[in-house]
Amino acid sequence: MDQPSLYDDDIVTWAEQQASTLRELARRPDLSNILDWENVAEEIESVGRSQIGAVESLLAQTLAHLLKRLSAPDTLSVEHWRKEAGTFQVAAFTRYERSMRQRLDWDKIWAVAQSQAKLGLTTYGDTLLPHLPARCPLGPDDLLVAPFDLDAALRAIADATALKSTNQS
């Protein structure tokens, strides 16, 4: 087995292909029914889903720290939040695979980030920036890149927030 495996290059696609193949095998009457084909396929698919979930969680953490930094710019923690945003972004970028691009739930990521930021800010007596856009103003081309431009990400969120605030006035 000297050839590189899809498992090593893209575990999400590998898991989907393996699960599909197992389901095809399960339909063959000449194979044993002792193996619980459907649940084995489901378990393999869950490997891919867990990788996507990990990247979504890291992206939510990245965004939450950006939101905290924008929401409470005079807090002593702003540089810590900046560092944390960068650390979470690097971790997300490292785990990200191209096949995840269409599978990432940006609305969920954005909602989770706002919830996390709100909880974190409450600890310091601060509040989340008002008038945040309903949709995440950043996407994979902004967040899943190296090098990551943290200042551009902060500006994009601030600009989208200011635009929404202006439109509501």
Side-chain angles (χ1 to χ4, degrees):
M1 192 156 170
D2 292 340
Q3 296 179 357
S5 168
L6 186 57
Y7 178 88
D8 297 322
D9 296 332
D10 185 349
I11 197 162
V12 174
T13 302
W14 173 87
E16 289 173 347
Q17 288 178 356
Q18 296 302 305
S20 176
T21 301
L22 285 172
R23 288 187 176 102
E24 287 175 30
L25 287 171
R27 290 190 281 277
R28 286 182 44 187
D30 59 318
L31 293 178
S32 170
N33 286 328
I34 293 173
L35 187 60
D36 185 354
W37 295 98
E38 183 55 37
N39 283 321
V40 171
E42 182 65 29
E43 286 300 315
I44 289 173
E45 276 181 333
S46 74
V47 170
R49 284 193 305 272
S50 70
Q51 294 298 314
I52 293 167
V55 170
E56 287 179 337
S57 177
L58 291 165
L59 289 170
Q61 287 285 349
T62 302
L63 290 166
H65 283 81
L66 293 173
L67 286 170
K68 288 190 280 190
R69 186 150 186 338
L70 284 170
S71 297
D74 299 326
T75 302
L76 293 175
S77 297
V78 293
E79 287 310 310
H80 170 74
W81 291 334
R82 181 183 180 85
K83 180 182 134 310
E84 288 291 297
T87 300
F88 285 117
Q89 185 279 333
V90 168
F93 175 75
T94 302
R95 295 191 74 169
Y96 174 72
E97 296 171 6
R98 285 185 316 277
S99 64
M100 293 179 184
R101 186 177 181 93
Q102 300 303 318
R103 295 173 176 96
L104 294 172
D105 185 344
W106 288 97
D107 290 338
K108 179 178 97 175
I109 293 166
W110 185 236
V112 168
Q114 289 179 63
S115 295
Q116 290 173 338
K118 192 175 195 178
L119 287 169
L121 287 164
T122 302
T123 303
Y124 299 96
D126 292 308
T127 58
L128 190 59
L129 196 64
H131 309 295
L132 288 170
R135 313 262 349 224
C136 186
L138 301 169
D141 293 335
D142 305 305
L143 290 169
L144 294 166
V145 295
F148 172 56
D149 190 340
L150 196 135
D151 293 319
L154 288 166
R155 279 192 305 276
I157 295 170
D159 291 349
T161 301
L163 286 173
K164 184 171 181 200
S165 177
T166 302
N167 290 340
Q168 288 183 346
S169 298

